[in-house]
Amino acid sequence: MAETAGETPGGRSASRWREIIKHTITGITALGIFGALVFQGVGTYLQYLVSRDQLAQSTEENDDRLRDQASKIAVWATDTLGNGRVEIHVMNRSLGPVYDLTIDIEGTSLHGEHQAVRYGYGVYDFGFGTLAPCTLIMISGNDGLYRSAKPKEKLKLIGVAIEALEFRDGVGRRWYQTGGELTQDDAEHLKYGERRTTAIQDGEYDERASLSMRKVKTGKPEDCTEK
């Protein structure tokens, strides 16, 4: 094949090398850019993992803190007044208030006096709009509660079982305690309510009433702390 005018074999060789070097530099540059993008992508992903773990840890710590407050709400009954009558204790050991506390109890009540005395078994509920922090409330079963619908009629309880309670914590999350288990899941609480409603309809209780507090004693728990 005839050579192009003015182009020598040495010139063609030099031109090919320049093309090779040019493409090599372009390839190396592209590879460097690709490597930088990969490195940046790996760094971004690792940063995402760290942020995700930090968020999960923060959420878990916050959940633990909220459960810690909820776990410091307690209600129990004791037979300390003599004559078989009871005292109901409501306690908030945390440093923050809780709201809309509702307590469900079952109890044996005493009606009448002397020869006309009779007993009844009822299901009752009472509550607090706000239960203040570091508070212990003691309610006498003898004269501390009365039926909201009959404020002049004293309710004398001689036996009480705490059945359930619910409340909102300091940030508004609702908690339930039925059968001694504290949870945010209302499934068991709803089942308890359905069973109670059925029992009332079937006549298993002598009465169903909402209660109000007539007078209470207040104190402060000895171990009122918050982590």
Side-chain angles (χ1 to χ4, degrees):
M1 181 176 66
E3 295 181 1
T4 305
E7 183 178 2
T8 65
R12 290 198 303 273
S13 177
S15 177
R16 284 197 299 271
W17 278 109
R18 283 196 297 270
E19 289 297 321
I20 292 172
I21 293 172
K22 177 181 178 181
H23 290 306
T24 300
I25 293 174
T26 301
I28 291 174
T29 301
L31 184 61
I33 294 173
F34 175 75
L37 291 174
V38 171
F39 181 78
Q40 183 179 6
V42 171
T44 301
Y45 179 68
L46 291 176
Q47 184 178 10
Y48 158 74
L49 292 178
V50 171
S51 299
R52 185 188 65 178
D53 291 343
Q54 290 176 339
L55 177 61
Q57 182 178 358
S58 176
T59 300
E60 183 178 352
E61 290 175 351
N62 187 56
D63 288 345
D64 289 343
R65 181 182 63 81
L66 292 175
R67 175 169 285 276
D68 182 66
Q69 183 194 20
S71 68
K72 291 176 178 176
I73 309 304
V75 181
W76 70 97
T78 56
D79 181 6
T80 59
L81 302 180
N83 299 320
R85 298 195 178 103
V86 297
E87 190 170 62
I88 300 171
H89 301 251
V90 183
M91 181 174 67
N92 177 7
R93 288 193 299 114
S94 79
L95 296 180
V98 296
Y99 308 97
D100 300 334
L101 173 62
T102 301
I103 303 164
D104 291 337
I105 64 174
E106 293 183 7
T108 301
S109 57
L110 182 65
H111 302 263
E113 296 181 356
H114 308 300
Q115 300 300 320
V117 68
R118 62 184 178 85
Y119 299 93
Y121 191 68
V123 56
Y124 309 98
D125 66 81
F126 65 98
F128 303 79
T130 301
L131 183 61
C134 294
T135 300
L136 173 62
I137 295 177
M138 294 152 283
I139 310 165
S140 167
N142 184 41
D143 57 6
L145 295 166
Y146 62 92
R147 299 171 184 85
S148 299
K150 300 177 181 179
K152 294 183 179 181
E153 182 179 325
K154 184 186 297 185
L155 176 66
K156 296 182 179 181
L157 293 171
I158 60 173
V160 168
I162 309 299
E163 293 296 312
L165 61 128
E166 64 176 291
F167 58 90
R168 290 188 300 109
D169 63 22
V171 295
R173 303 204 315 186
R174 190 165 292 279
W175 295 85
Y176 306 90
Q177 185 170 310
T178 308
E181 181 180 359
L182 181 66
T183 178
Q184 287 186 272
D185 185 357
D186 65 353
E188 287 301 317
H189 195 76
L190 291 174
K191 289 179 182 178
Y192 159 76
E194 291 170 357
R195 291 194 300 268
R196 184 183 60 185
T197 299
T198 300
I200 293 171
Q201 293 172 346
D202 291 344
E204 295 183 18
Y205 300 100
D206 296 311
E207 68 173 335
R208 164 77 173 90
S210 294
L211 305 179
S212 298
M213 289 171 287
R214 185 181 299 273
K215 57 182 180 181
V216 300
K217 294 184 294 183
T218 61
K220 183 176 180 179
E222 295 181 358
D223 54 347
C224 182
T225 59
E226 183 172 309
K227 295 178 181 178

